[in-house]
Amino acid sequence: MSTTRAALRRAATVTALTAASVLAAAGAASAHVTVHPESYAKGATDGVLTFRVPNEEDTASTTEVQVVLPTDHPVLGVLVTPQAGWTAKVTTTKLKNPVKTDDGTITEAASEITWTGGKIGPGQYQDFDVAFGQLPEDTDQLTFKTLQTYSDGKVVRWIEVPQSGDDEPEDPAPTLKLTAAAGTAAPAAPASKNGSAKAPTASADASDSTARGLGVAGLIVGALGLAAAAFTFVRTRGARS
């Protein structure tokens, strides 16, 4: 085998190892509890929030998920979708500031939802769907602090609130952005080619973000590989001469 070919093979090996490291880091960065969709209109009615809970442990299963709902800007009319194997408990609390609606004044709202009884194994995730009657109109975002309990007793506290302009915290709380699209009840379903509406999927935003992240990672890895190969080739030719 020529010296040049051996050098190129070494460069390819370095590139492959770099790619594996970049992709592993991208996967680890996305393994946190999130809420979907990422945004709703202020005051939206009759919608669904999906809390996606991945298991990031290698030897333990997730056995309990506790989501805390804000009561300073309450989510009204909370209903939990049944999940096979899981039991949901909704805790309500009296509101310090009752909310006036077309149906009357609301004095209580859900403050916590806890799912128990099921398991999320290593390398798996679970979607927990929560229907709501109305979102608040007087805030730009809702933060849902979440506790994730594992079968080995470990508790991960997803409670850090992301700040605008800062890097994402290590254990970010699921955050829903509220937009100023007045009069919009819920995000519209995209139309298909035949004009019929497609049902929105809870994972669309997450999939797009992941795809973009992996695309950028791939470009970086490719550039590193080409640079390494070129450098090695030039150095080998220089050694021969």
Side-chain angles (χ1 to χ4, degrees):
M1 181 183 297
S2 67
T3 304
T4 301
R5 184 175 300 178
L8 291 175
R9 174 166 292 187
R10 287 195 298 271
T13 301
V14 171
T15 301
L17 293 174
T18 304
S21 300
V22 171
L23 295 179
S30 64
H32 52 252
V33 178
T34 52
V35 61
H36 303 274
E38 295 180 351
S39 65
Y40 256 111
K42 293 181 178 181
T45 59
D46 301 326
V48 175
L49 298 175
T50 299
F51 294 92
R52 174 158 295 179
V53 182
N55 189 330
E56 56 179 11
E57 293 293 312
D58 295 329
T59 59
S61 298
T62 296
T63 57
E64 180 177 310
V65 177
Q66 180 182 20
V67 176
V68 178
L69 283 68
T71 54
D72 52 346
H73 303 288
V75 178
L76 305 180
V78 167
L79 295 173
V80 179
T81 300
Q83 298 284 349
W86 292 87
T87 299
K89 178 184 178 182
V90 180
T91 301
T92 60
T93 189
K94 285 190 173 296
L95 300 176
K96 293 182 178 179
N97 299 307
V99 180
K100 294 183 178 180
T101 69
D102 294 338
D103 298 323
T105 301
I106 305 299
T107 60
E108 290 188 349
S111 58
E112 184 180 297
I113 306 174
T114 303
W115 287 273
T116 56
K119 287 186 178 182
I120 308 173
Q124 300 177 344
Y125 74 90
Q126 177 73 54
D127 283 346
F128 297 94
D129 294 335
V130 177
F132 62 83
Q134 184 175 338
L135 296 178
E137 300 177 341
D138 56 351
T139 186
D140 294 328
Q141 69 177 28
L142 295 175
T143 300
F144 302 95
K145 296 183 179 182
T146 302
L147 302 183
Q148 182 178 8
T149 302
Y150 286 90
S151 55
D152 60 2
K154 179 180 179 179
V155 178
V156 180
R157 300 167 61 83
W158 304 101
I159 62 173
E160 298 180 74
V161 180
Q163 300 296 326
S164 178
D166 293 342
D167 292 336
E168 184 178 69
E170 183 177 354
D171 298 317
T175 301
L176 177 71
K177 297 184 183 301
L178 298 181
T179 64
T184 303
S192 62
K193 292 182 179 179
N194 59 12
S196 61
K198 292 182 180 179
T201 59
S203 62
D205 293 331
S207 298
D208 289 344
S209 298
T210 302
R212 287 193 295 269
L214 292 179
V216 172
L219 290 174
I220 294 173
V221 171
L224 290 173
L226 289 175
F231 175 77
T232 304
F233 180 72
V234 170
R235 186 179 63 179
T236 302
R237 292 192 62 182
R240 283 185 171 185
S241 61

